[in-house]
Amino acid sequence: MARISSARPMNRGERVSAAAASLGTTLQSVIAFTRSDVGKQILDRRRAVQVIESWNTYQNSDRLVWLHGSSAGELLGATPTINALRKLESLNLVVTHFSPSGAAALDHLQPENAGYPPLDRPSDCNRAMRTLQPDLLVFAKLDVWPGLIGAAARFGIPCALINGVVRPDSSRLGPLNRWLFRQTYCGLDMVGAADERDASRLISLGVRADVLHVTGDAAFDLAASRADRASEPGGWKHRFETALPKRPKGGIRLIAGSTWEEDERTLLDVFDDVVSQSPVNSWCQLVIAPHKPSEAHVGRLVADCRMRGRPCDRFSRLSNPKALPANGVIVFDEVGRLAELYTAGDVAYVGGGLKGKGLHNVLEPASAGIPVLFGDEHDRGDANALVEAGGGITFPRHAFGEGLIRIKDVHHRKLIGARARQFIEDGSGAGRRTAALLAQLWSD
C-alpha cells in the first residue's frame, strides 16, 4: 500500500463536495426537525468512519474491493461483476450505499462488511481509506464521490466506474456540474459504459478516452440469473404459482410491477371501462406490485378495488388461494421479490412510464420470457431497445387497453415473450467482461 501523499491538492469537485458535507453536519439538527429521514442519514454518515474503523475486513485474502452504489438497484446491477471477479481472484468485499434501500442488495453481494460511506470531505475519506486500504475502489452506475476518489488518489488506490449510464436529461451534463466535477471523472482509472451513447456522455463529463470501455450493463446478467433460479424446480416460480389463485379459464395473469398511483388507476380503469366490449376481467387476472408497498398505500389500493366491485386482497393474506375468484385483483405486498414474481406471469406491465414518474426495470420481466408493456413517457434506452427487439410494447395512457388486447392471442404472446428473453441473452456477458478489466487494475 502506497503511503498517503499530501502533495495532491483538492480539485473543484472535492472542495464543493466537502463544503456541502460540512454544511449538512452543521444544519443536521435543523434538517432533522423538518426531515427526520434525511437528518438520520446525515447522522449515520457522520458516524460512518467510526463504524468502518471497527470492521475486520481481512479474512483469508490479500485482495479487498470497496464497492459503492447509491441504492439497491445500482448495487444489484454490480453483483454479476463481483461474482465474476471472485472467480478470478480470492477477495473480500466491503459495500457502502447512500440510500437505506441499498441494504436490500446485500444478500446478493455477500460482503464482509457494509454500511454508509463517510462524509465526502478529506478528513473522513482519508481515515476510511487508511483503515480499509482497499486494492480497488469501485463505483456502480454513476454515483461517484469526489472526496473518495481524491482520497484514493492520495493513497495510490485505483478507482473504477462500472455499468456506467448517463441519461440524456441527467443534471450532471449541465455546464456548471461538468465544470465542477470534470477533474473527478478524469481521476477514474477504468470506466465500463453500458453502450456507445453512455460512453459519449461519460467523455463529456471528463472520463479519459484511454480508460473507457463499452462493456454493456451487467443488469442484463443479473436479471437473467434471477429469472433462471426462480424457474428451477422448487424455486420461487413454483411457490408463487401455488400461492396465487388460478388464472381464469383460458386466461392470462398480468403482473403489474413497480406501479405508482397513476399506473394503478389506469390499470383498474382499463379493467372497468376501456375494453367493455371484450371484458378483460373474464380472461385476465391482475396482480399489482406497488413501487412503495407501504401499509397505507396497499390499504388504499385494496379499498379502491373493492369500491369498484372487484374482489381484491393482499398477497400476504392469501392463506387460501381458492378464496379469491380467479379474476380478482391481488396486491403483492412483499418487498424484494418482484423479479421472481414476473416468472409466474404471462404478461408484465412496468410502472413509471405514465406522467413522467420514471420507468422502472424492464429487464426483469423480459428475462422471464413474457411480453413487457409500459407507458411511453420515459427516457430509458434499454426500454426503447426492448421495443425495437420486438419484446416490449409501449403506448400512451389512453391506449393501454388496445395494448393489452394485442397480447391476448397465446401464439402472439409467446412470440413476443421469446423475443424479450432473446433481448436479454443478447445483452448478457457484461459482468464477465467488466471483471476482466477490473482485474487488470490490481497492484502487484
Side-chain angles (χ1 to χ4, degrees), residues 49-118:
V49 172
Q50 288 85 356
V51 173
I52 289 171
E53 288 175 336
S54 71
W55 290 348
N56 177 20
T57 55
Y58 282 96
Q59 298 174 3
N60 305 319
S61 176
D62 293 327
R63 302 293 193 192
L64 176 66
V65 173
W66 180 350
L67 172 66
H68 175 78
S70 176
S71 58
E74 290 81 358
L75 291 175
L76 284 170
T79 303
T81 298
I82 295 299
N83 289 342
L85 193 59
R86 283 182 169 125
K87 293 180 180 179
L88 299 176
E89 296 273 354
S90 176
L91 59 86
N92 287 315
L93 177 69
V94 297
V95 174
T96 54
H97 48 88
F98 177 74
S99 167
S101 72
L106 300 183
D107 284 345
H108 296 266
L109 288 163
Q110 294 294 306
E112 274 63 43
N113 297 101
Y116 289 100

Side-chain angles (χ1 to χ4, degrees), residues 24-25 28 31 38-46 119:
T25 59
Q28 188 265 330
I31 294 172
V38 177
K40 183 181 184 304
Q41 189 175 45
I42 295 173
L43 184 60
D44 288 337
R45 292 193 65 192
R46 289 180 67 177
L119 288 167

Side-chain angles (χ1 to χ4, degrees), residues 14-27:
E14 288 178 84
R15 288 195 293 270
V16 169
S17 192
S22 296
L23 180 62
T25 59
T26 301
L27 300 177

Side-chain angles (χ1 to χ4, degrees), residues 250 252 346 371 406-416:
I252 65 173
D346 304 295
R406 283 173 59 187
I407 46 79
K408 182 179 179 182
D409 178 75
V410 62
H411 299 293
H412 185 51
R413 190 166 67 245
K414 288 184 176 180
L415 176 62
I416 298 174

Side-chain angles (χ1 to χ4, degrees), residues 192-270:
D195 60 32
E196 294 286 355
R197 291 166 295 187
D198 292 308
S200 176
R201 294 177 193 128
L202 285 163
I203 288 287
S204 73
L205 290 178
V207 171
R208 306 193 312 274
D210 61 311
V211 304
L212 181 62
H213 308 266
V214 177
T215 56
D217 190 344
F220 282 76
D221 300 6
L222 177 68
S225 65
R226 291 186 70 177
D228 291 346
R229 286 197 304 272
S231 299
E232 292 174 352
W236 283 100
K237 178 178 181 179
H238 173 74
R239 298 183 192 180
F240 287 137
E241 288 280 10
T242 303
L244 290 168
K246 290 185 177 181
R247 298 163 175 79
K249 186 177 180 180
I252 65 173
R253 177 179 293 138
L254 171 65
I255 307 292
S258 296
T259 57
W260 297 88
E261 290 185 6
E262 181 68 23
D263 300 295
E264 292 152 10
R265 282 196 299 270
T266 298
L267 286 164
L268 294 175
D269 286 346
V270 164

